[in-house]
Amino acid sequence: MRDFEYSDERISSREIMVAMPSVVIGAGVLSLPSDLASITIGSDGWISLAVSGMTAIALAWAIAKLASRFPQQSFMDYASHLVSKPVAVVMTFLLALISLQYTAFEVRQIADVAKQYLFDRTPLEVISLTFLLVVVYAVSGSREGLFRLNTMFLPIILLITVGVLLFNFGWFDFGNLQPIFQTGFTDLLRGAGSSVTSYIGFGILWFYVGLVKDPEKAPRAAAIGMSLPMLLYVLLFVMIVGVFGNAATANLLYPTVELAKTVDLPVGFFERFESIFFVIWIMAIFNTTVMVLDVAVLALHTLFKNTPKIKILLIVTPLTYLVSMYPQNLLEVSRFGEIISYTGVGLTVFLLILLSVMLKIRGGKP
Amino acid sequence: MRLGAIFKKKNKQKSKDSGQENFTVDIEKNLDKNLANLRKMLEEPNDLVVREVPIGNTRSAVVYIEGMIDKAFVHKNILNKLQEYQTDADDSRKILEEIFEETITVADVQKGKTLDDAANALLSGSTVVYIDGARQVLIMGTRGWETRAIEKPTTESALRGPKEGFVESLRTNMTLVRRQIRDPNLRFKTYYVGRRSKKKLVLSYVDGVIHPDIVKELHRRLQSIDMDFAPESGYIEQWIEDSFLSPFPQISNTERPDKVAAALLQGKAAIILDGTPFVLLAPVTLGSTLQSPDDYYERWTIGTLLRTLRYGAAFIAIFLPGLYIALASYHPGMIPSDLAFSIGASRQGVPFPAFIEALLMSLTMELLREAGARLPRNIGQTIGIVGGLVIGEAAVTAGIVSPIMVIVVALNAIASFAIPEYSVAISFRILLFGFMIAAAFLGLYGIILAYIMVNIHIVNLKSVGVPYSAPFAPSFFRDWTDLVLRLPVPLLTTRPKYLQTNDRTRTGKGDTDA
């Protein structure tokens, strides 16, 4: 007798493939082109994006590969096996902490952008809080449900992005892309460094690969999933620079939303398309936030096994909210984001190297 | 185990309280004593008929409840036969055997040993024959009462397709299903529900098509039912559904045998309760609630377009007033300026904010719907005219609501009537008010958050263990051929994959050598 294969708490590698872009595409890409354009010359930023994207793909593949050596095991289990239990506890805790910070950052970002494009009088605190509550509602449900949410929202997000790209074709000017290949090597690297912020999210793989039914396919799925945001970012960046020019892009706060602003629907039923774009984009930010918060809860749950998931969630939520309200202005928010990204990437690379080396020494089977 | 872990644990403790007296009195030898016992138990109802018939030297009695039996049948096959019956036997046990085996020409004859057997049989329309000196009775299926003839289903009309609808009689309903599926694997499992109503309930499925776990789970839930009275299948539905907090129906109901047959062959199960024409179907998914048999009966282009239209209708039914509120009160800049001016002009002098205006009109709409549903048809139409035309027109003229609002609410109401199932349409109306409130507080941002919340709820919801969001997510691309789209019939070769049927294929390649 066959069971309902999809009704259990295991996920398939296909769901990892969908989860990757869902986590990665979030609030970061809204402001990404502006940071990048200010560092690079002309449209050269795409090289930086491609370089950091390739790095992200490699990282995702490597993490998934490492984690898939220990099928059906939690991060805590295999990390304990590789680097002793106390170290694993510290690692799990750090990863949970980073994830919570990232949640706070996304919650803050959504409020900032919403204030910019949807309302000006509604207080920041209310916008963030309502969003966070919806996220908490999602995380309190089944984990399988989160992956289904990803599957349901990602097509809508891709559709609206492709729509924005297509409708902007009329304003695209090849002249804006020039000069090309003028940026120096160090600047390109600097650009790549700053764009890593938008690729962060591969940390979820440490935890989710252990839930995958077919772990041997997970690395490939993660890499494919990761290449989707890279493609999207490069297209968006080239389109934005092609429409606005490098200088203007660098001065815009959220160039990606501004790109949507230029869209003038031929039927003319809606004006201010950027509001609609952003409203849809809330789903993308939601996907990111929900997965990251879930990872944090999952990580903490492996540390405090006897505490129910919902309790952990209700403890970390107010803390996350307070952290998200801490930065006083947009500048501080973006610095906050940078700190999280760099520590996140640093921690991931460090963990990856450490665990890989230990894997070589201690062998795969626990 | 895995499926079992997913199913909501619904281990209801069977309360064995003494709500009923238990008459486990054995049948005695003395006929008068037996009859007295029976009369005492039923407190001498005036519809109880006891007809004594002497058989040789032995006394016997034919007992039935008038109105529940087929009178002509009882006269011809029981009374006549007993009166003509001659015997030399003296032993009443022997007489009983002879009558049981030879005399009576009723197909459905059983023996009963206790007073309880006899009384239950009587109350469900059987005829009981007592023989003096025998410790057993004969119970004969003679049920026959006035029933409604098979008519057109009143709640689900279709432009094309069989016009037969289910009736109140369980037998007839089972026959209606059997007539559609002449498969030896069609199963009808019987249950009895209601401690006092003791109604028959039938779980129907096609063995070899349905996933066995669905049957197992439904069986478990049906057995857990412990209620007094089951007047309608809605009681059963509410007892066995996965989540009673959800606004979405997790079990659908229908009056159409063709719909039941199609669902059974898709790998679903049907639950037929005696005494109601509404048959339950499970499991349900969001996609299947927006489908109608018509989609399959018309050609595929029409079917596909109708479905797409219905998805549009669902969107309007849920979102339109909320969107109007959000756009009018939070983001007027998003409406093209010409339209914004005309909306602004029409709202000139309206004393309420858009939310109150929309709430008033939508509530009026609900009132009209409810009033129209209860009244006889002729008066119902009057209500429609009075409500729709008079109140709408008068409210606009009086300047209480804007004409745009009337259009929005009317469009919204029409769209919600385009949803094929009433219970689904109603749940959409509930969501509608949620979205209106969300829009009133946070505009478009509120709407999208509410939309996300509905999605969160849907992905966590299950219907008999099957995710409600299937086959969208978890995605079964094969099933998308029959979801929003409806591909041509020869291309619909497989049963829905999300139901994990045992028999995957629905059609062969088709005979081309004609």
Side-chain angles (χ1 to χ4, degrees):
Chain A
M1 189 181 76
R2 289 191 316 269
D3 270 340
F4 282 85
E5 287 131 19
Y6 55 87
S7 291
D8 50 23
E9 282 290 301
R10 302 258 143 219
I11 54 177
S12 66
S13 59
R14 195 167 76 182
E15 281 170 301
I16 286 284
M17 197 160 89
V18 178
M20 272 328 277
S22 300
V23 174
V24 168
I25 301 173
V29 62
L30 298 182
S31 55
L32 164 77
S34 135
D35 302 339
L36 205 55
S38 62
I39 298 172
T40 55
I41 302 166
S43 59
D44 287 350
W46 74 268
I47 306 171
S48 300
L49 275 176
V51 169
S52 53
M54 289 300 189
T55 320
I57 293 173
L59 276 176
W61 184 84
I63 297 173
K65 187 78 189 166
L66 180 74
S68 66
R69 292 288 294 272
F70 304 92
Q72 331 289 325
Q73 280 190 41
S74 72
F75 176 71
M76 189 65 191
D77 289 342
Y78 64 81
S80 303
H81 164 66
L82 291 175
V83 290
S84 81
K85 190 149 189 206
V87 184
V89 168
V90 174
M91 283 176 170
T92 313
F93 190 71
L94 282 178
L95 282 173
L97 206 64
I98 283 284
S99 298
L100 284 180
Q101 302 289 322
Y102 196 56
T103 312
F105 174 63
E106 293 283 324
V107 169
R108 177 55 184 261
Q109 279 254 314
I110 200 165
D112 282 334
V113 190
K115 226 168 154 44
Q116 186 87 15
Y117 291 101
L118 281 179
F119 348 79
D120 32 14
R121 283 179 316 217
T122 314
L124 206 67
E125 289 78 7
V126 176
I127 306 177
S128 301
L129 187 63
T130 42
F131 180 70
L132 187 61
L133 287 179
V134 173
V135 169
V136 168
Y137 174 44
V139 176
S140 67
S142 74
R143 186 155 289 129
E144 177 67 10
L146 302 184
F147 287 95
R148 286 190 200 134
L149 281 176
N150 287 340
T151 322
M152 283 164 100
F153 290 164
L154 190 66
I156 305 178
I157 296 159
L158 294 181
L159 208 68
I160 191 95
T161 317
V162 170
V164 165
L165 289 173
L166 283 181
F167 283 119
N168 265 299
F169 231 76
W171 281 269
F172 188 79
D173 180 5
F174 279 97
N176 281 335
L177 295 183
Q178 283 155 357
I180 51 172
F181 301 124
Q182 294 295 312
T183 318
F185 186 66
T186 44
D187 276 347
L188 280 180
L189 272 191
R190 238 167 26 98
S194 85
S195 57
V196 158
T197 326
S198 306
Y199 287 110
I200 194 159
F202 29 70
I204 63 159
L205 289 169
W206 290 118
F207 295 91
Y208 284 149
V209 172
L211 303 174
V212 177
K213 271 180 292 195
D214 39 359
E216 67 284 351
K217 288 187 197 152
R220 195 163 159 266
I224 295 175
M226 204 65 186
S227 50
L228 188 68
M230 182 179 86
L231 187 72
L232 207 71
Y233 288 178
V234 169
L235 284 177
L236 269 174
F237 181 78
V238 171
M239 183 55 89
I240 287 169
V241 173
V243 170
F244 297 120
N246 182 295
T249 307
N251 285 320
L252 288 169
L253 194 52
Y254 301 110
T256 311
V257 191
E258 296 297 324
L259 185 70
K261 200 176 202 164
T262 59
V263 171
D264 196 4
L265 284 186
V267 272
F269 191 72
F270 277 118
E271 272 173 27
R272 296 187 48 185
F273 190 70
E274 79 276 13
S275 299
I276 298 173
F277 174 77
F278 174 64
V279 164
I280 303 283
W281 207 257
I282 290 173
M283 291 190 207
I285 303 176
F286 168 81
N287 266 349
T288 311
T289 320
V290 88
M291 296 306 266
V292 177
L293 183 60
D294 185 59
V295 159
V297 172
L298 179 60
L300 290 175
H301 195 55
T302 55
L303 290 183
F304 308 102
K305 278 210 169 66
N306 296 324
T307 323
K309 176 179 154 188
I310 190 84
K311 214 173 198 173
I312 296 176
L313 182 63
L314 291 182
I315 292 170
V316 298
T317 308
L319 297 177
T320 313
Y321 182 62
L322 286 182
V323 172
S324 75
M325 287 298 110
Y326 184 71
Q328 295 306 309
N329 50 42
L330 289 179
L331 212 63
E332 284 185 29
V333 174
S334 95
R335 193 171 319 132
F336 178 46
E338 270 171 33
I339 295 171
I340 297 169
S341 319
Y342 290 136
T343 35
V345 174
L347 184 67
T348 308
V349 173
F350 170 71
L351 281 184
L352 188 60
I353 294 171
L354 179 67
L355 292 179
S356 306
V357 171
M358 292 311 283
L359 181 67
K360 273 273 175 294
I361 298 171
R362 294 216 169 162
K365 286 281 165 275
Chain B
M1 170 256 143
R2 279 188 284 168
L3 186 65
I6 298 310
F7 287 127
K8 267 226 178 102
K9 291 280 175 287
K10 250 198 178 175
N11 290 327
K12 291 269 164 20
Q13 208 76 79
K14 276 208 170 178
S15 54
K16 285 277 182 218
D17 54 5
S18 49
Q20 64 195 61
E21 279 182 77
N22 218 356
F23 292 92
T24 44
V25 184
D26 284 340
I27 302 286
E28 306 204 16
K29 279 198 162 179
N30 187 331
L31 177 65
D32 291 326
K33 192 95 184 268
N34 278 333
L35 292 178
N37 273 345
L38 187 69
R39 286 203 172 103
K40 190 176 152 223
M41 177 181 179
L42 302 175
E43 293 249 342
E44 303 249 4
N46 58 9
D47 54 356
L48 184 74
V49 177
V50 180
R51 171 83 159 82
E52 291 203 23
V53 188
I55 304 169
N57 298 326
T58 321
R59 290 167 64 209
S60 78
V62 175
V63 184
Y64 56 84
I65 292 183
E66 187 154 13
M68 299 197 70
I69 53 131
D70 185 344
K71 231 175 187 170
F73 183 80
V74 170
H75 278 268
K76 187 170 159 232
N77 294 315
I78 301 174
L79 283 173
N80 279 356
K81 298 284 170 185
L82 280 180
Q83 281 163 345
E84 286 163 12
Y85 169 62
Q86 301 287 327
T87 182
D88 325 320
D90 259 351
D91 182 19
S92 43
R93 253 217 325 245
K94 222 178 225 164
I95 298 178
L96 187 104
E97 286 302 321
E98 276 186 26
I99 296 175
F100 179 63
E101 275 159 20
E102 293 163 19
T103 313
I104 285 176
T105 48
V106 179
D108 173 21
V109 188
Q110 287 170 327
K111 287 181 193 162
K113 281 195 171 133
T114 63
L115 179 58
D116 213 22
D117 290 346
N120 276 343
L122 278 177
L123 291 173
S124 43
S126 298
T127 300
V128 177
V129 174
Y130 283 92
I131 291 167
D132 192 31
R135 303 210 61 154
Q136 284 184 322
V137 290
L138 293 178
I139 297 169
M140 283 160 264
T142 53
R143 180 191 301 212
W145 53 61
E146 294 297 315
T147 51
R148 192 164 62 93
I150 295 175
E151 283 166 16
K152 249 161 75 166
T154 44
T155 54
E156 288 164 278
S157 45
L159 292 176
R160 188 166 173 182
K163 304 264 185 204
E164 287 175 335
F166 285 122
V167 292
E168 281 75 7
S169 152
L170 179 72
R171 279 278 167 250
T172 317
N173 289 351
M174 282 166 66
T175 319
L176 284 173
V177 176
R178 268 211 202 280
R179 272 201 261 162
Q180 300 267 354
I181 307 175
R182 283 161 207 178
D183 186 321
N185 292 315
L186 179 64
R187 299 275 181 271
F188 291 104
K189 250 192 192 170
T190 312
Y191 300 81
Y192 287 90
V193 292
R195 264 181 286 158
R196 286 182 194 281
S197 63
K198 292 201 181 72
K199 272 196 184 174
K200 231 185 205 176
L201 179 148
V202 164
L203 173 65
S204 170
Y205 54 90
V206 180
D207 207 11
V209 171
I210 195 169
H211 190 289
D213 279 3
I214 295 180
V215 178
K216 229 195 272 170
E217 178 60 19
L218 280 173
H219 172 70
R220 190 181 70 71
R221 291 188 193 181
L222 285 174
Q223 280 200 319
S224 81
I225 294 180
D226 182 19
M227 55 170 94
D228 231 16
F229 177 46
E232 216 278 322
S233 49
Y235 267 65
I236 311 295
E237 174 186 350
Q238 291 171 63
W239 194 286
I240 65 172
E241 68 189 351
D242 291 62
S243 156
F244 54 81
L245 290 175
S246 172
F248 294 99
Q250 296 128 56
I251 292 173
S252 67
N253 61 71
T254 180
E255 270 192 279
R256 302 174 55 100
D258 56 327
K259 201 172 163 186
V260 170
L264 289 180
L265 289 178
Q266 276 189 340
K268 297 184 179 179
I271 296 169
I272 314 172
L273 179 70
D274 193 18
T276 174
F278 292 95
V279 172
L280 302 178
L281 293 176
V284 175
T285 59
L286 190 64
S288 67
T289 59
L290 289 174
Q291 297 175 356
S292 152
D294 287 29
D295 305 347
Y296 297 98
Y297 300 154
E298 292 294 345
R299 300 188 58 249
W300 74 276
T301 36
I302 301 169
T304 300
L305 286 175
L306 281 180
R307 279 205 187 155
T308 326
L309 185 71
R310 229 172 272 138
Y311 275 83
F315 179 82
I316 294 176
I318 298 175
F319 287 103
L320 192 65
L323 277 177
Y324 174 79
I325 294 170
L327 290 181
S329 45
Y330 279 89
H331 323 282
M334 285 178 70
I335 315 170
S337 17
D338 292 345
L339 186 60
F341 287 139
S342 80
I343 290 180
S346 77
R347 281 188 51 76
Q348 198 85 53
V350 174
F352 306 116
F355 171 62
I356 301 291
E357 201 188 348
L359 198 64
L360 276 179
M361 287 311 282
S362 295
L363 282 178
T364 315
M365 190 57 231
E366 294 301 296
L367 279 177
L368 283 174
R369 189 183 50 72
E370 189 59 21
R374 298 282 163 268
L375 286 172
R377 183 165 292 177
N378 320 351
I379 308 180
Q381 282 172 355
T382 324
I383 285 285
I385 294 165
V386 171
L389 294 178
V390 179
I391 295 186
E393 179 63 34
V396 169
T397 324
I400 299 174
V401 292
S402 62
I404 289 272
M405 192 69 239
V406 176
I407 297 175
V408 165
V409 169
L411 199 59
N412 173 259
I414 294 169
S416 72
F417 294 141
I419 310 293
E421 255 179 77
Y422 184 67
S423 53
V424 180
I426 290 291
S427 0
F428 283 2
R429 303 288 296 174
I430 302 173
L431 291 184
L432 162 82
F433 284 96
F435 277 99
M436 274 162 56
I437 295 170
F441 280 111
L442 285 167
L444 272 183
Y445 184 69
I447 289 185
I448 196 78
L449 287 190
Y451 173 71
I452 291 175
M453 279 178 72
V454 170
N455 274 291
I456 296 171
H457 174 69
I458 288 176
V459 295
N460 283 311
L461 190 63
K462 291 202 166 103
S463 165
V464 201
V466 174
Y468 208 62
S469 50
F472 287 109
S475 326
F476 295 97
F477 296 114
R478 182 73 237 183
D479 293 349
W480 288 21
T481 53
D482 184 15
L483 192 62
V484 184
L485 303 178
R486 209 279 284 162
L487 290 198
V489 167
L491 296 183
L492 297 175
T493 51
T494 53
R495 297 179 208 281
K497 212 174 159 206
Y498 71 90
L499 288 171
Q500 307 228 325
T501 50
N502 273 349
D503 175 20
R504 288 262 156 96
T505 49
R506 177 144 57 181
T507 60
K509 288 262 184 275
D511 266 323
T512 43
D513 52 345

